[in-house]
Amino acid sequence: MQRVRKAVLPVAGLGTRFLPATKAMPKEMLTVVDRPVIQHAVQEALASGIEQLIFVTGRGKTAIEDHFDHAFELEATLAARGKDEALQTVEATNFPPGTIAYVRQQEPLGLGHAVWCARHVIGDEPFAVLLPDDIILGDQPCLAQLLDVYENLATDNGANLIGVEGVEPEMTRKFGVLDIDRWLDDETSFIAKGIVEKPRPEEAPSNMAVFGRYILDPTVLKHLDKQERGTGGEIQLTDAIDASIREGVPTLGHLCEGRRFDCGSKEGFVLANVAYALQDDLMGPSLRRAIQELVRED
Ligand code: UTP
């Protein structure tokens, strides 16, 4: 398979579920413990071997660009004061020039439209999509797990590979859901014969829900060119993937290892903070005791 070098990170959504926090601040800059949600996704992509990140931004998102840029005054001040550890932490958010490209989605017309806005930078090669709302705590980066599977696929037609998780039937209406053709021998991957956006439980083809990690064949962009509106009046990535399946591009779902947190919802975001903080050597033990006490008092 052709190597996956580029990842698209759509960050142009309005983040209405977090208002008023997101009135003047992008939701991707909300922090899970000590770093913005977006940094978790960026670190995952780079740790998985991705070379170029394409951010699809919108109005009011400049804090994201600033976060991944030099902060000259801050860096000079930390250096002058000998705060080496803090300086290293700040410097770790800078990458070699050209690592990140920014394209603008002028109107939030949907996830499919956001990905389509990156088409010229993606070009004609397979690419990853990471939705920064989802952060995954585990031993191996989630995208690296998908890339391992992808690189070992043997097809002449390219492929789409999508991270999935099993959900309770009543939850299907919140996700894209894959229609399973057949499971592969390892029982962690299956071939899909379709995909539906946010189906009602009685209409869902399975309980295999798509979360925010994809490796996509560039033919998906051709389907997005049509700018067709789907569920909720939005241009849906799901619909373009479905068209690509119907065109004969092999499409697989893969169950990744690790615990996923949906930081696009308040509950998932709070839970992610607790889980990541509990992993911290310094604050983990005392936090665990404090949480147990809180729960007892509740
Ligand atoms: P969401 O469905 O979570 O929407 O988008 P949202 O606007 O970010 O948040 P809420 O629902 O209003 O609280 C999923 C992902 O797709 C991106 C978002 O930034 C997020 O990463 N997105 C969505 C875009 O970039 N553009 C869009 O038009 C829609």
Side-chain angles (χ1 to χ4, degrees):
M1 298 295 281
Q2 199 178 341
R3 211 162 77 75
V4 180
R5 304 181 305 135
K6 300 179 183 179
V8 178
L9 291 95
V11 293
L14 298 177
T16 53
R17 282 172 287 172
F18 279 91
L19 284 168
T22 48
K23 185 180 164 199
M25 182 179 64
K27 83 169 167 183
E28 297 78 12
M29 290 301 292
L30 295 170
T31 56
V32 170
V33 186
D34 59 359
R35 65 204 59 193
V37 165
I38 184 72
Q39 194 175 330
H40 288 270
V42 164
Q43 286 173 334
E44 179 189 328
L46 295 175
S48 305
I50 293 294
E51 292 167 14
Q52 189 177 25
L53 305 167
I54 307 162
F55 282 30
V56 183
T57 71
R59 268 188 292 285
K61 300 281 179 166
T62 46
I64 298 176
E65 294 177 39
D66 291 340
H67 182 74
F68 292 109
D69 198 355
H70 285 288
F72 288 107
E73 283 173 8
L74 176 62
E75 287 168 30
T77 306
L78 293 174
R81 293 185 183 171
K83 303 237 176 220
D84 295 339
E85 209 181 315
L87 182 59
Q88 275 172 19
T89 306
V90 173
E91 284 174 346
T93 55
N94 293 327
F95 308 112
T99 305
I100 306 184
Y102 295 92
V103 297
R104 188 101 165 182
Q105 186 191 29
Q106 287 92 342
E107 265 184 284
L109 297 179
L111 176 60
H113 183 260
V115 171
W116 178 79
C117 288
R119 66 199 180 284
H120 296 306
V121 191
I122 297 166
D124 189 25
E125 56 182 284
F127 60 99
V129 176
L130 290 95
L131 304 190
D133 279 356
D134 282 322
I135 65 175
I136 298 121
L137 190 58
D139 293 336
Q140 201 196 0
C142 181
L143 185 61
Q145 297 176 42
L146 287 177
L147 287 167
D148 272 354
V149 175
Y150 183 83
E151 278 155 16
N152 289 310
L153 293 175
T155 87
D156 296 329
N157 280 354
N160 300 308
L161 179 64
I162 304 175
V164 294
E165 69 177 17
V167 296
E168 295 298 323
E170 65 272 18
M171 296 297 285
T172 56
R173 61 176 86 238
K174 288 181 180 273
F175 297 90
V177 176
L178 284 162
D179 192 357
I180 301 169
D181 183 17
R182 64 183 169 86
W183 283 88
L184 301 185
D185 290 342
D186 66 358
E187 292 183 2
T188 58
S189 303
F190 59 85
I191 298 180
K193 57 181 176 190
I195 179 170
V196 193
E197 183 65 20
K198 299 190 173 69
R200 290 204 299 262
E202 59 277 20
E203 285 162 5
S206 77
N207 72 334
M208 287 292 132
V210 173
F211 64 92
R213 298 293 181 273
Y214 309 73
I215 298 171
L216 297 178
D217 187 75
T219 52
V220 169
L221 298 172
K222 188 184 72 186
H223 296 294
L224 288 171
D225 276 339
K226 295 175 201 146
Q227 305 278 293
E228 279 166 1
R229 307 271 177 149
T231 307
E234 297 192 347
I235 298 170
Q236 297 287 356
L237 183 59
T238 305
D239 295 340
I241 296 172
D242 193 57
S244 150
I245 296 173
R246 286 174 208 294
E247 191 191 8
V249 177
T251 298
L252 288 89
H254 179 72
L255 292 162
C256 294
E257 281 172 18
R259 169 95 197 233
R260 180 184 74 92
F261 298 95
D262 173 13
C263 294
S265 75
K266 286 183 205 168
E267 191 179 327
F269 173 73
V270 171
L271 206 56
N273 267 287
V274 172
Y276 276 74
L278 284 173
Q279 296 254 314
D280 186 279
D281 289 343
L282 284 179
M283 67 174 143
S286 59
L287 187 68
R288 183 166 285 106
R289 284 193 295 278
I291 291 173
Q292 282 163 347
E293 212 172 291
L294 269 180
V295 173
R296 266 199 306 275
E297 286 167 12
D298 186 32

